[in-house]
Amino acid sequence: MTTRGWTIRWLASVAVLTAVTGCASWPPARAPRYAYTPPKPPATPATNVPRPKDSTTRPAELTVRGQNPGGFGGQQNSFAPGSNDQMRYPMPPQGTAGGQYQNAQPATGPYSSYNQPGVYAPNNGYPNSSQPFAPGAGGAFGGPGPQYLPPTDFPPPGAGEPIIGDLGLPPNFADIDAFVEEARTGRFMFGVGVNSNAGVTGQIVIDERNFDYRAVPSSFQDVINGTAFRGAGQGFRLEAMPGTQVQRYLASFTEPYLFDTQISMNLSAFYYQRFFFDWNEQRLGGRVGFGYRLTHDLSLSYAIRMESIEISDPRIRGIPELENVLGTNDLYSGRVTLTHDTRDLPFSPTEGHLIELSYEQAFGDFDYPRGEVDYRRYFLIRERPDGSGRHTLSFAGMAGLSGSQTPLFENYFAGGFSTLRGFDFRGASPRVNGVTVGGRFQLIGSVEYLFPLTADDMLKGVFFV
């Protein structure tokens, strides 16, 4: 048969395929950039044709090429004349060896063939099907012959297939060069605030989320272009918070994958000073913490704390709980915490829950155990279509029990927006002769309804019980 006669019969078969599968809605095909000559069909039906083997096969080929990665063999065949998949897998003329095309879903398997050597057609089973077609099971075009290809082994370009340059790619492949620029991972923040717990405070923060302690700058240019101490995905934070009632200075370092494992490590050192109404308190210490994520929502952590606490300037003398801690006290503790966290946001969450179970053992100048449970649940009541303006109903409960040797500065204190709304800071705590001494047991529960007051969600109101 001449090439012209074969081309006419091939176009006729394409017209039949288009009518059967309803492809009129497809975009018009572009003019081919390269001449294409379909392979000549065999004179007799081929059987047991060996599967093509080529070390240069491209596993991602069928998933990105053409309009329907399902191919000829599925129920949703929708190839238009001139489409790239037809050029890759040309349909045989009706009545030729290999059988007539039938729009039927093959029984199982990822691929099928129409009995032409070296030419295979994918089917809608890819990539989930796990069994190959049995020979003669009625593949894409029916009839016996080679019926399978493994999901990860694709045929190399066949004879007569158009090639782009020296890349060896079908015409609808394209080389893509992706140029990415690292986002800003460092922050410098400063501000001034006032609240009922801490009075007037200032804040200066340097926070780097892509820190690298080994990237020591070799020149001042490394500092200018931002490559100094950056690149390892570690965290580093410096914070200074001077204020009228509270001062805090903190330096912390976080390694999210310690020694390339799933264990995280946090090191921190701090200085803290607080002018309470009944005494002054000063803390100098550090903390070493390790964490491990058991599942996506469940994590386990362990922390060691070392502090030197100085209590001075008591307002009233003669209170036993206060007299016992005047001066400098050394405190060390180990704490283990199990956390289950499904909240959508760590700050101002609107959905999910947080459950924390912790146990701490303290030693040093004071020796005591402590166990705590913290439970918080959030429900999204309503929101705008764009996700803003969220109204949230939340429930919170905290319970804690500490040993009999717990010092005054480690007791539980309630009152204020962070513990019990509607009370002054530490205003719901036990007192002895007018001095707030706190307690060794706490049980706090609250229900809150949080809602926005402004369209930009910057100002919010809350009802609480």
Side-chain angles (χ1 to χ4, degrees):
M1 181 182 296
T2 63
T3 301
R4 180 177 181 182
W6 160 251
T7 303
I8 293 175
R9 297 187 66 181
W10 180 74
L11 291 176
S13 64
V14 169
V16 173
L17 174 61
T18 304
V20 171
T21 58
C23 304
S25 61
W26 276 43
R30 296 180 302 174
R33 297 172 55 189
Y34 301 88
Y36 170 66
T37 303
K40 186 176 181 180
T44 59
T47 59
N48 301 324
V49 178
R51 177 170 49 87
K53 299 290 291 184
D54 191 327
S55 61
T56 62
T57 56
R58 298 177 291 279
E61 184 176 306
L62 293 181
T63 63
V64 298
R65 176 177 35 75
Q67 303 291 340
N68 179 10
F72 288 116
Q75 295 176 343
Q76 299 179 357
N77 298 307
S78 53
F79 290 102
S83 68
N84 290 322
D85 277 270
Q86 275 197 310
M87 298 177 71
R88 172 74 174 160
Y89 299 105
M91 187 181 70
Q94 299 180 12
T96 60
Q100 183 176 356
Y101 170 80
Q102 46 185 301
N103 185 26
Q105 175 68 46
T108 58
Y111 299 96
S112 62
S113 169
Y114 62 80
N115 299 336
Q116 184 160 326
V119 181
Y120 291 77
N123 112 66
N124 282 341
Y126 173 83
N128 297 321
S129 300
S130 58
Q131 299 179 358
F133 288 126
F141 297 95
Q147 301 288 326
Y148 68 91
L149 278 179
T152 58
D153 196 0
F154 294 81
E161 182 177 16
I163 300 299
I164 296 178
D166 297 329
L167 301 178
L169 301 176
N172 58 333
F173 272 74
D175 260 1
I176 298 178
D177 293 329
F179 298 93
V180 296
E181 182 176 348
E182 184 173 328
R184 294 184 178 181
T185 58
R187 295 183 299 171
F188 174 76
M189 300 175 290
F190 65 92
V192 178
V194 59
N195 65 65
S196 59
N197 285 10
V200 179
T201 59
Q203 188 179 43
I204 302 174
V205 177
I206 298 176
D207 187 18
E208 174 58 60
R209 293 174 290 120
N210 189 25
F211 187 71
D212 186 359
Y213 71 91
R214 295 168 297 184
V216 180
S218 57
S219 65
F220 187 71
Q221 183 63 29
D222 293 340
V223 178
I224 297 299
N225 59 27
T227 59
F229 297 110
R230 295 184 67 196
Q234 300 159 352
F236 181 73
R237 182 182 180 93
L238 286 176
E239 180 179 350
M241 192 182 78
T244 58
Q245 299 180 31
V246 180
Q247 296 187 64
R248 184 177 71 237
Y249 303 91
L250 168 73
S252 68
F253 170 81
T254 301
E255 172 55 73
Y257 301 100
L258 183 63
F259 304 125
D260 294 327
T261 67
Q262 296 298 315
I263 299 175
S264 62
M265 181 186 69
N266 176 267
L267 305 175
S268 62
F270 58 87
Y271 172 79
Y272 168 87
Q273 187 178 38
R274 174 78 198 225
F275 302 107
F276 292 110
F277 180 70
D278 294 313
W279 67 84
N280 294 340
E281 182 174 315
Q282 178 179 292
R283 297 181 181 234
L284 178 64
R287 181 180 178 274
V288 180
F290 301 92
Y292 183 78
R293 187 173 294 277
L294 302 174
T295 66
H296 178 72
D297 301 321
L298 187 65
S299 61
L300 183 68
S301 63
Y302 181 77
I304 299 174
R305 179 175 54 136
M306 300 154 286
E307 289 188 73
S308 175
I309 302 104
E310 181 180 348
I311 306 297
S312 62
D313 298 330
R315 184 175 64 89
I316 298 178
R317 299 300 300 261
I319 307 299
E321 293 85 350
L322 183 55
E323 295 291 335
N324 292 338
V325 297
L326 288 178
T328 301
N329 308 271
D330 293 328
L331 183 66
Y332 311 94
S333 72
R335 181 186 182 99
V336 59
T337 304
L338 182 66
T339 304
H340 192 259
D341 189 354
T342 64
R343 296 174 299 173
D344 56 347
L345 298 169
F347 302 102
S348 299
T350 60
E351 292 181 292
H353 69 254
L354 170 68
I355 303 175
E356 280 191 354
L357 307 175
S358 64
Y359 175 80
E360 183 177 18
Q361 178 61 53
F363 52 94
D365 291 340
F366 300 92
D367 190 348
Y368 62 93
R370 169 175 287 186
E372 295 178 339
V373 178
D374 189 355
Y375 173 74
R376 304 171 189 269
R377 186 72 171 91
Y378 303 89
F379 299 92
L380 178 61
I381 305 302
R382 56 172 296 185
E383 65 179 352
R384 301 190 188 102
D386 62 355
S388 63
R390 292 190 163 193
H391 291 233
T392 305
L393 178 65
S394 64
F395 300 86
M398 294 180 290
L401 178 62
S402 196
S404 59
Q405 296 186 30
T406 304
L408 171 70
F409 52 79
E410 288 291 291
N411 276 345
Y412 293 110
F413 297 89
F417 69 88
S418 61
T419 54
L420 199 60
R421 295 181 185 271
F423 289 85
D424 292 334
F425 178 63
R426 293 191 169 185
S429 304
R431 295 172 179 265
V432 174
N433 296 332
V435 176
T436 303
V437 297
R440 296 193 301 270
F441 171 75
Q442 79 166 0
L443 180 61
I444 299 177
S446 65
V447 180
E448 296 184 359
Y449 186 83
L450 187 68
F451 56 95
L453 296 177
T454 57
D456 57 3
D457 294 340
M458 294 299 293
L459 186 62
K460 297 183 179 182
V462 59
F463 294 108
F464 58 87
V465 176

